[in-house]
Structure formats: C-alpha cells, structure tokens
Amino acid sequence: MKTIAITIAAAASLVASAASAQQAAAPQNPGPQIPGVCVYHNARLFAQSSAGQAVEARMQQLAQEVQTELQPYATSLQTEAQQLQTSGSTLQPDELNRRRQALQQRAQEAQQLEGTRENELRYTLAMQRQAITEAVSPILVAVYQERGCGLMLDRESVFMMNPAHDVTDLVIQRLNTALPTLSFNRMAVPAQQPQQPAAAN
C-alpha cells in the first residue's frame, strides 16, 4: 500500500542532506557581500522550522492510521484469493464465478478506498504547507525591508554565495515564534465545483 509517510520522511532527509552539502561546499573565501542581495531557502524552512517538523510528524501518524485501516482489507482479500485457488477445483462453475466476481468487486472497493485516503493525505499536507507559506509571507516581506534587500534569491538557484546573504535562519526563528506548531487531522478532499457557463455577451 502506498502512503506518503515515506515520501515526507525522504523529502525531509533530502532537504537536510542538501543543506549540509551546500554548507560543506561553501568556499573558505566566499567573496564580498553584495549590497541589496538576500538569499532564502524555502525547503530548509519547511524541514527545520518547528511548524514544518510538526507537520511532518503528524503526517506520518496519519499515514500510519490509514495503513492500519486498510491492512484488514488486504489481508481478507489475500485470504479469500488463496481459498479460491485451493478449493476452486471442487466448486461448481457458477459458484466459482460468483465468488470470483465478489472478490473482484471487494478488491475494487478496497482500491477505491485506498485512493481516497491517499488523496486525503496529499490534500491535508498541501493545506498545512499552505498555512506555513501564508504565515511566512509577511515575515519575508519584513526581513526583505529590514535588510534592505533589492533582490531576494531562491537558495535552490544559487550554487555558491557569501553566507551573510542568507536570511533563512532569521526567517525560521521568526516563524517559530509566529507559528510554533500546527495541529490537524486528515482532511476530506472538497468536491470539485462544476464550472459555470460563460456569460453571453
């Protein structure tokens, strides 16, 4: 069964590894600081801020809950399939066909439930990341103005830099104060609203 718990953990690990690699690759003589240039690492904020870590931990819990919910379906289907394979030759053709169709229907229902739960987990994660993004936006604006940034670059797009340009630690510190954590449960994906017909001219 697919869950996004592994994906979340892997993403956090990759971000941490990337940040370590970038720090290790920093030259001993980083060159002069360029006035008005600031650099911000959004991925590191999600991985290292207290809210981002709370989201990661909670998403892993929710993914485990989904796995626990779905496991009995998988076990039951596997058991039924093995029973059919073992006793299929002793059943009448009509009975064998009926049981196969019933098993196929149950398998489809379990697959649909799994897809629903996976979509709910992805939607829940997206909503929490959106909440963090909304909280960090005014912080970025404030830091941009305080530091006199004429240009703020994404750290992912910068190969090497003078560490003095990086404002990520300051942004994380302020986000930890403004949004220490996030508490949430698995969220249902809202139904798509039908598109309204274009108004006639």
Side-chain angles (χ1 to χ4, degrees):
M1 185 200 70
K2 295 179 180 179
T3 67
I4 59 174
I6 297 176
T7 303
I8 297 169
S13 177
L14 286 173
V15 169
S17 298
S20 298
Q22 288 170 347
Q23 291 173 358
Q28 293 182 352
N29 180 14
Q33 184 177 0
I34 303 173
V37 174
C38 299
V39 179
Y40 165 65
H41 197 180
N42 193 57
R44 185 158 71 86
L45 176 130
F46 277 105
Q48 297 181 1
S49 66
S50 58
Q53 292 175 350
V55 169
E56 177 189 348
R58 181 58 176 153
M59 287 303 304
Q60 290 181 356
Q61 292 175 352
L62 293 177
Q64 182 60 50
E65 290 176 6
V66 168
Q67 186 173 0
T68 300
E69 177 189 6
L70 295 178
Q71 186 59 47
Y73 292 90
T75 302
S76 176
L77 289 169
Q78 184 177 13
T79 300
E80 179 66 17
Q82 290 174 345
Q83 290 176 349
L84 277 179
Q85 185 176 9
T86 301
S87 61
S89 59
T90 65
L91 297 174
Q92 294 295 324
D94 290 347
E95 176 64 14
L96 179 60
N97 186 53
R98 184 190 67 80
R99 290 181 61 177
R100 283 177 174 171
Q101 289 180 346
L103 179 61
Q104 183 177 8
Q105 181 177 355
R106 289 173 55 203
Q108 290 175 346
E109 292 172 352
Q111 189 174 16
Q112 290 175 352
L113 178 60
E114 179 181 346
T116 297
R117 293 291 181 262
E118 184 173 352
N119 288 336
E120 289 172 348
L121 290 174
R122 293 185 184 282
Y123 177 74
T124 301
L125 176 59
M127 290 298 97
Q128 306 318 309
R129 290 179 68 90
Q130 179 178 323
I132 293 176
T133 298
E134 291 175 354
V136 80
S137 292
I139 296 174
L140 282 173
V141 172
V143 170
Y144 180 93
Q145 295 174 339
E146 292 170 11
R147 289 292 184 94
C149 303
L151 178 68
M152 183 172 286
L153 300 174
D154 182 358
R155 181 65 181 89
E156 298 291 338
S157 303
V158 177
F159 183 65
M160 289 186 184
M161 66 173 185
N162 185 319
H165 290 298
D166 196 336
V167 299
T168 308
D169 287 337
L170 176 60
V171 176
I172 291 175
Q173 179 184 358
R174 293 190 182 183
L175 179 65
N176 288 345
T177 300
L179 188 68
T181 189
L182 281 170
S183 300
F184 56 93
N185 294 312
R186 190 179 72 243
M187 303 170 66
V189 180
Q192 293 184 350
Q193 298 296 325
Q195 292 184 352
Q196 298 294 328
N201 293 330

